[in-house]
Amino acid sequence: MNIANFPWLTTIILLPIAASLLIPFLPDKDGKTVRWYSLVVGLIDFALIVWAFYSQYDLANPNLQLVESYSWVPQLDLNWSVGVDGLSMPLVILTGFITTLAMLAAWPVTLKPRLFYFLMLAMYGGQIAVFAVQDMLLFFLVWELELIPVYLLLAIWGGKKRQYAATKFILYTAGGSLFILVAALTMAFYGDTVTFDMRAIAAKDYALNFQLWVYAALLIAYAVKLPIFPLHTWLPDAHGEATAPVHMLLAGILLKMGGYALIRMNAGMLPDAHAYFAPVLVILGVVNIIYAALTSFAQRNLKRKIAYSSISHMGFVVIGIASFTDLGLNGAMLQMISHGMIGASLFFLVGATYDRTHTLMLDEMGGVGQKMQKMFAMWTTCSMASLALPGMSGFVAELMVFVGFSNSDAYSPTFKIIVVFLMAVGVILTPIYLLSMLREIFYGPENKELVSHEVLVDAEPREVFIIACLLVPIIGIGLYPKILTQVYDATTIQLTERLRDSVPTLATQKASTLSFRAPAIGN
């Protein structure tokens, strides 16, 4: 068989799903066999992802690669169509990386291990499918199917309010998904041809009013998942009740689905409408950064504090998408991948700390660093990455968004000054609440009641290994960001050129109401 014609993406998507179906038949009493089986499957699938990227992906090609298309339900014009480009390939790699580590993080799970790892493997394939499928109807289906494992993982293995958190999650995300279905059907039937192929849909010549309505519908759906204020309230509740491996999937992958879809569909398919909505996105991004940072500062629950911190960091993604510059869009992509690893590391540490202290309230902690020195070191390093310390990936990503938006010629100087100032305020707030959090957990006098009732053992090798696996790329990208940006640079440049072509004709019509001026693009 010619290796170039091998169905890499189909295999990568279906392997963990098929493997999950074998779990009920494995001879296992205490869950040990199931967890080793799941971890090996995850490692094999991740190895396939890395090999396909290394051997088949061309960094200089901005178009879809590893393309496969098979007729599935011809009566509905539903095709199994998959492919990756610079927008999706890095997120496919991130998905394999984070999900495999999440299965290792789930080692202590003893409640219904067969069902737990079945859901983890099924979710593995579903998440990759979201980033790889190139058919709008198929995208809606995998987007919906991916919600079911998350709901069950929250509802069965969550905390005391797990049913409330799981129900709120499914209501928000499934409700948002309806807008995807409506938009997909509307775009598919627009014009003389009916098609669900994303490339064919993007090539259609849509009327401006049509674009604006469809863009608004998709924005609602993806604002829920990203999440963007005020559709964010499900996330703190979900994180507040989730276990460590589910935390890692929520922060590391699920939030990135919203950012990816916002770039792929809103910006990529509806560029004229994007020119109108871009200032709105910038404002929403600023609100995310400031509001979530201030709310995180006020939280006394450790999980909710990190959850609001995640919402704040995703505000930079929204601003980068709306920057109309290569650097800003590259920064948005880098921020998604960087936050995927940093968020996963912090939430894993939250779970590890809770396993020892059996409390999430900062008021009940204090001085535990004296007995958990390795945990203290890991917490400090990951927190430094989250507050964008130079040398870490978060610093490079946020700097790229800052500079990219500052240099954008699509906005008036006054608008840019205000936005950059507010972004800077958010950056200043981040180290305040993160360093304050570290002080309350690890510094100060010991909580005698906590120490006398709990065995505060230090990090075990498995936990150190997971954090080390996450910190290596975080620091590596921070020191040499080109190792990642070259993966998607060609695609983002092509997309930015298309977006900028839409600005001059649209900006002049609404300059006064949107604070958006027509730049001399292309001159």
Side-chain angles (χ1 to χ4, degrees):
M1 176 184 290
N2 186 350
I3 192 171
N5 296 326
F6 185 78
W8 290 105
L9 290 178
T10 299
T11 303
I12 289 167
I13 293 169
L14 296 183
L15 174 61
I17 296 175
S20 70
L21 300 176
L22 299 178
I23 287 181
F25 306 102
L26 294 177
D28 186 26
K29 292 183 179 180
D30 53 8
K32 292 182 179 180
T33 302
V34 170
R35 69 189 185 189
W36 275 108
Y37 169 80
S38 301
L39 180 61
V40 169
V41 171
L43 287 170
I44 292 173
D45 207 52
F46 181 57
L48 285 174
I49 294 171
V50 173
W51 175 252
F53 170 71
Y54 175 76
S55 63
Q56 303 297 314
Y57 188 82
D58 180 7
L59 299 177
N61 184 358
N63 301 313
L64 283 177
Q65 304 179 53
L66 300 173
V67 177
E68 305 166 35
S69 184
Y70 312 99
S71 180
W72 188 9
V73 185
Q75 294 84 352
L76 296 176
D77 191 35
L78 179 59
N79 300 305
W80 176 264
S81 179
V82 292
V84 290
D85 58 8
L87 299 178
S88 49
M89 192 70 211
L91 294 170
V92 170
I93 297 173
L94 178 71
T95 299
F97 182 57
I98 296 296
T99 309
T100 302
L101 288 178
M103 284 191 282
L104 183 58
W107 224 242
V109 172
T110 56
L111 175 65
K112 300 179 180 179
R114 288 180 186 271
L115 178 59
F116 182 89
Y117 286 102
F118 167 82
L119 295 172
M120 290 288 284
L121 285 176
M123 193 172 173
Y124 196 153
Q127 291 170 142
I128 294 174
V130 168
F131 297 121
V133 297
Q134 299 301 319
D135 183 281
M136 280 290 287
L137 192 56
L138 181 60
F139 176 85
F140 167 76
L141 293 176
V142 296
W143 183 281
E144 283 287 279
L145 291 174
E146 174 269 330
L147 302 179
I148 298 173
V150 182
Y151 171 79
L152 294 174
L153 289 168
L154 283 172
I156 298 174
W157 290 271
K160 294 180 180 179
K161 297 181 179 179
R162 57 184 179 272
Q163 296 296 337
Y164 170 78
T167 302
K168 192 171 183 178
F169 164 80
I170 202 69
L171 287 176
Y172 267 71
T173 52
S177 301
L178 294 178
F179 290 93
I180 302 176
L181 178 61
V182 172
L185 292 173
T186 305
M187 289 191 290
F189 284 92
Y190 186 91
D192 299 329
T193 59
V194 178
T195 179
F196 289 100
D197 183 81
M198 289 186 182
R199 286 175 290 183
I201 287 176
K204 287 187 176 183
D205 185 18
Y206 299 108
L208 177 58
N209 287 338
F210 178 87
Q211 284 199 39
L212 292 173
W213 281 108
V214 174
Y215 192 105
L218 292 175
L219 179 58
I220 293 172
Y222 304 141
V224 171
K225 204 57 166 285
L226 196 62
I228 298 175
F229 176 90
L231 301 176
H232 67 286
T233 58
W234 65 269
L235 183 65
D237 291 318
H239 272 306
E241 304 304 321
T243 55
V246 181
H247 279 311
M248 296 174 72
L249 297 180
L250 282 172
I253 304 168
L254 264 73
L255 305 191
K256 313 307 171 285
M257 292 178 181
Y260 163 77
L262 197 60
I263 300 173
R264 169 75 69 192
M265 297 179 190
N266 289 58
M269 296 182 180
L270 307 164
D272 293 341
H274 185 72
Y276 278 92
F277 275 93
V280 178
L281 291 179
V282 172
I283 294 170
L284 290 173
V286 169
V287 172
N288 255 43
I289 294 170
I290 300 297
Y291 160 79
L294 290 172
T295 308
S296 180
F297 190 87
Q299 296 299 310
R300 306 306 300 159
N301 181 294
L302 189 56
K303 286 185 177 181
R304 294 181 71 88
K305 181 179 283 287
I306 303 299
Y308 277 104
S309 175
S310 293
I311 297 171
S312 180
H313 286 298
M314 294 306 289
F316 287 94
V317 174
V318 180
I319 294 173
I321 293 171
S323 67
F324 288 93
T325 62
D326 300 335
L327 189 61
L329 188 55
N330 278 357
M333 282 293 301
L334 184 57
Q335 177 73 342
M336 285 197 290
I337 297 161
S338 170
H339 178 266
M341 295 182 289
I342 295 171
S345 67
L346 285 173
F347 277 114
F348 172 73
L349 290 174
V350 169
T353 303
Y354 177 77
D355 290 341
R356 290 159 171 80
T357 63
H358 297 287
T359 181
L360 293 169
M361 305 309 295
L362 291 170
D363 298 331
E364 300 173 3
M365 299 182 185
V368 299
Q370 299 175 31
K371 294 191 175 182
M372 298 192 300
Q373 296 180 6
K374 293 178 184 177
M375 289 290 292
F376 168 65
M378 293 190 297
W379 260 110
T380 302
T381 307
C382 294
S383 296
M384 294 300 108
S386 183
L387 60 82
L389 184 75
M392 304 284 199
S393 58
F395 171 78
V396 182
E398 292 184 9
L399 181 63
M400 290 173 71
V401 174
F402 259 104
V403 177
F405 182 78
S406 301
N407 291 334
S408 175
D409 52 5
Y411 298 93
S412 67
T414 303
F415 185 74
K416 288 194 294 184
I417 290 171
I418 294 172
V419 170
V420 170
F421 172 76
L422 293 174
M423 290 167 66
V425 171
V427 171
I428 293 170
L429 289 173
T430 304
I432 295 175
Y433 65 72
L434 285 176
L435 294 177
S436 171
M437 175 191 71
L438 289 177
R439 175 181 57 79
E440 293 188 85
I441 298 173
F442 295 104
Y443 290 98
E446 287 185 344
N447 183 333
K448 299 298 183 182
E449 183 178 353
L450 174 65
V451 174
S452 62
H453 288 82
E454 304 295 342
V455 180
L456 299 178
V457 296
D458 208 348
E460 61 184 51
R462 176 183 61 88
E463 295 166 330
V464 174
F465 176 77
I466 291 173
I467 294 299
C469 288
L470 290 165
L471 284 176
V472 167
I474 289 171
I475 296 173
I477 294 169
L479 296 175
Y480 188 65
K482 186 180 178 181
I483 194 172
L484 178 60
T485 58
Q486 64 181 346
V487 177
Y488 55 78
D489 194 50
T491 304
T492 53
I493 289 174
Q494 184 184 71
L495 177 57
T496 303
E497 289 176 353
R498 187 180 182 200
L499 293 176
R500 290 172 68 86
D501 287 341
S502 300
V503 172
T505 56
L506 298 180
T508 53
Q509 299 174 24
K510 289 287 184 180
S512 59
T513 57
L514 296 179
S515 296
F516 196 64
R517 68 180 180 83
I521 296 177
N523 293 340

